């Protein structure tokens, strides 16, 4: 269930989430943002802790990681995240170089690739940061190093959340048999 309302205050969002909504989109509705929210919600059921913080709830979606844990064992998911954690810094460095060189088209390609990967793993805030930087490029504004630094911090925060989720699921068996 996705709430779409003109009431865009944080308290309105909290009320919708507390009422059991899976996501919240404030009007005016941006088609791209709505599509992203629907994709995220459709990946699987929203898994909520008893009292998730509003910041965590809006910056990271547990659903993609939980879906991986449903299909794979925790050590395989941990390997995937380890690979992700190793590869993303090099992607961010490449993005920084492209921005410094002023190659907007290549920077946009890097941002779109990062956004896709981040969104697929539930890094909502980081994926949104990539989207915002792509929009800035489209408007003729080149994102600066601060934007990449913020993106790096969001990725690190997401990885910490992933480690917590993995620790909570340690010892859980996957529900689907592996193809091995």
């Amino acid at each position: 269930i996705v709430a779409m309302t003109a009431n865009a205050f944080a308290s309105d969002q909290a009320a919708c989430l507390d009422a059991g909504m899976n996501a919240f989109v404030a009007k005016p509705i941006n088609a791209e943002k709505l599509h992203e929210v629907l994709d995220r919600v459709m990946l699987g059921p929203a898994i909520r802790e008893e009292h998730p913080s509003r910041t965590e709830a809006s910056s990271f979606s547990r659903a993609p990681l939980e879906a991986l844990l449903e299909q794979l064992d925790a050590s395989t998911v941990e390997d995937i995240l380890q690979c992700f954690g190793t590869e993303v810094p090099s992607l961010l460095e490449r993005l920084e170089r492209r921005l410094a060189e002023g190659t907007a088209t290549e920077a946009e390609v890097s941002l779109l690739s990062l956004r896709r990967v981040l969104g697929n793993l539930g890094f909502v805030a980081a994926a949104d940061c990539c989207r915002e930087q792509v929009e800035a490029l489209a408007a003729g504004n080149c994102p600066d190093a601060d934007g990449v630094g913020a993106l790096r911090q969001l990725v690190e925060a997401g990885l910490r959340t992933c480690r917590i989720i993995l620790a909570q699921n340690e010892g859980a068996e996957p529900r689907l048999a592996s193809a091995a």
Side-chain angles (χ1 to χ4, degrees):
I1 300 171
V2 177
M4 292 188 289
T5 177
N7 300 328
F9 294 110
S11 60
D12 298 318
Q13 181 176 2
C16 288
L17 295 173
D18 289 341
M21 307 275 177
N22 299 91
F24 176 94
V25 179
K27 292 179 182 178
I29 303 299
N30 171 304
E32 183 178 346
K33 177 68 176 173
L34 179 60
H35 188 264
E36 289 174 13
V37 169
L38 290 173
D39 280 347
R40 189 174 67 241
V41 170
M42 296 303 290
L43 285 173
I47 311 275
R48 298 178 189 226
E49 295 177 273
E50 286 185 23
H51 302 286
S53 71
R54 297 289 169 231
T55 304
E56 180 184 330
S58 62
S59 66
F60 187 86
S61 172
R62 294 173 62 112
L65 189 59
E66 293 287 347
L68 283 175
L69 287 166
E70 292 268 331
Q71 299 172 30
L72 306 169
D73 60 66
S75 67
T76 302
V77 175
E78 192 171 318
D79 290 344
I80 291 169
L81 291 172
Q82 180 67 34
C83 181
F84 172 83
T86 301
E87 294 297 319
V88 168
S90 64
L91 291 173
L92 290 171
E93 288 170 15
R94 186 177 313 134
L95 173 61
E96 285 177 319
R97 280 194 310 275
R98 289 176 173 172
L99 291 172
E101 294 166 356
T103 53
T105 302
E106 284 131 9
E108 182 179 3
V109 169
S110 293
L111 284 165
L112 290 171
S113 296
L114 273 168
R115 179 178 166 208
R116 193 173 311 113
V117 170
L118 293 164
N120 286 340
L121 286 174
F123 290 64
V124 178
D128 284 348
C129 184
C130 289
R131 179 188 46 79
E132 290 165 4
Q133 291 188 28
V134 167
E135 289 172 356
L137 284 169
N141 303 320
C142 189
D144 57 16
D146 290 339
V148 177
L151 181 56
R152 184 174 275 115
Q153 289 177 347
L154 291 169
V155 169
E156 289 169 4
L159 283 169
R160 285 191 300 273
T161 302
C162 287
R163 287 186 204 104
I164 291 168
I165 294 168
L166 284 173
Q168 291 170 347
N169 285 289
E170 196 168 294
E173 293 295 320
R175 294 187 187 176
L176 298 178
S178 65

